Amino acid sequence: MTERRHVRWHWPHLLLLAGIPLMATITQRLQWSASSALFGWLVFNLAVLAQAERWRPFRPEWQATPRHVRRDGAIGMLNLATDAAASAALTALVVAYLPGHSTWPLAVQIVVGLLVAEFGAYWMHRWSHSGQWLWRVHLLHHRPDRLNVANAITAHPINAVYDKLVRVLPLLVLGLAPEAMVGIALFGLTQTLAVHANVAGSIGPLDRLVGSAELHRLHHSTRAEEAGNYGTALPLWDQVFGTYRRGDAPVRVGVFDPSRYPSEWRVGALLAWPFRTLLPCRGIACLARCCRGPHLA
């Protein structure tokens, strides 16, 4: 496999991170709605990272083909609709039951909000790799055998809903200001896309504080000893709870045993997977295989 190791910096990721304050300021000055700002930022991030993948791919064999783009685009649109519905429900909850906005300084709200949102997301993501029902939901995201920006938001709609809840609901309970919520969401969106992007380069020592593609590729490794790094936006909780991994890029990404699951192209089967038995067999031997612990990437 060819890896572009001579490329020092992952400039697209760094520039998108630097652009978040500007986007947040524009959103506030022009009084855009949060949904409009996030959709615009999503399109901009996708365009930048997709072009960067063509310009200097980390691994050429991980490039998304038109077939990949059609599949991932369809799943992505389904998740956008699911996310919009979840956002509407949370908004109604805020109006009906939750307290007013915090009086903390905006910078404090953003820092605390990021830590709280990522704490919930870290544990939900880690539980999703436990081998139980949540893994059946999460499987769709890990089934592809390549990583690129097209499949960054390829996930089950149930996955999208519970990820939204654990990230956003605690922030609403804290009463964070809309400006803080938008800033946190912009950062999270950039991180979700950038850490999956098939772009050569590194963000250097910054990946001790911020999630990077180098760290997240290990999370998708087909080797159990490499597959940590459950935090996407921040590596802090991995560092605290002992799941932080560093090292060379994995040889392969995907699931540990592809023969146990539907093909990545059988989207309908993968969407139905949470509602089916994980294994078709019966008996004590099957139960032992099913419950022996994490068997996924």
Side-chain angles (χ1 to χ4, degrees):
M1 296 183 186
T2 303
E3 296 182 8
R4 300 286 296 277
R5 294 181 181 278
H6 64 280
V7 179
R8 170 63 176 155
W9 298 107
H10 191 324
W11 286 112
H13 191 180
L14 292 170
L15 292 173
L16 288 171
L17 288 174
I20 291 171
L22 175 61
M23 184 62 183
T25 301
I26 292 172
T27 298
Q28 186 177 5
R29 293 285 177 85
L30 299 182
Q31 297 184 329
W32 288 347
S33 67
S35 58
S36 297
L38 290 170
F39 182 75
W41 191 238
L42 169 67
V43 172
F44 180 70
N45 277 247
L46 285 172
V48 169
L49 293 169
Q51 183 57 42
E53 287 183 336
R54 296 176 63 85
W55 177 38
R56 54 178 201 187
F58 175 71
R59 285 186 178 161
E61 64 271 22
W62 283 0
Q63 292 284 60
T65 67
R67 187 185 183 197
H68 286 100
V69 172
R70 288 193 298 270
R71 178 199 65 189
D72 298 334
I75 298 172
M77 292 301 292
L78 178 61
N79 281 330
L80 285 176
T82 304
D83 184 85
S87 296
L90 288 171
T91 300
L93 178 66
V94 171
V95 172
Y97 299 107
L98 295 179
H101 299 318
S102 170
T103 58
W104 302 341
L106 184 60
V108 174
Q109 292 188 49
I110 291 174
V111 171
V112 171
L114 279 173
L115 294 176
V116 171
E118 287 304 307
F119 181 81
Y122 167 85
W123 280 107
M124 183 59 76
H125 193 183
R126 187 168 173 177
W127 291 333
S128 295
H129 284 258
S130 67
Q132 305 305 316
W133 185 79
L134 284 175
W135 166 243
R136 303 186 198 184
V137 175
H138 193 52
L139 167 67
L140 176 58
H141 180 63
H142 280 266
R143 193 61 185 87
D145 61 1
R146 61 185 68 191
L147 279 181
N148 51 58
V149 72
N151 60 35
I153 53 177
T154 297
H156 201 287
I158 297 174
N159 199 152
V161 169
Y162 68 61
D163 187 66
K164 184 84 170 184
L165 288 175
V166 298
R167 288 179 183 275
V168 176
L169 188 57
L171 308 187
L172 297 175
V173 172
L174 289 173
L176 297 193
E179 296 83 0
M181 299 284 287
V182 168
I184 292 167
L186 292 171
F187 176 74
L189 179 56
T190 289
Q191 286 299 104
T192 295
L193 299 175
V195 302
H196 290 89
N198 181 34
V199 180
S202 167
I203 62 171
L206 186 61
D207 75 355
R208 300 283 183 175
L209 300 174
V210 175
S212 70
E214 291 176 295
L215 296 178
H216 199 69
R217 288 174 192 134
L218 290 170
H219 172 68
H220 281 260
S221 173
T222 57
R223 296 180 59 186
E225 64 272 21
E226 292 179 336
N229 297 337
Y230 298 103
T232 302
L234 303 175
L236 172 65
W237 300 118
D238 286 293
Q239 294 162 353
V240 170
F241 295 110
T243 52
Y244 185 65
R245 302 286 185 270
R246 296 185 68 86
D248 293 335
V251 175
R252 288 184 296 276
V253 296
V255 292
F256 292 176
D257 185 358
S259 66
R260 293 169 61 89
Y261 307 110
S263 161
E264 65 176 287
W265 299 107
R266 294 181 59 202
V267 175
L270 291 168
L271 289 171
W273 202 246
F275 311 106
R276 298 167 59 96
T277 54
L278 184 60
L279 295 171
C281 58
R282 297 288 186 271
I284 298 300
C286 178
L287 181 64
R289 286 168 58 200
C290 186
C291 300
R292 65 187 177 186
H295 50 274
L296 40 122

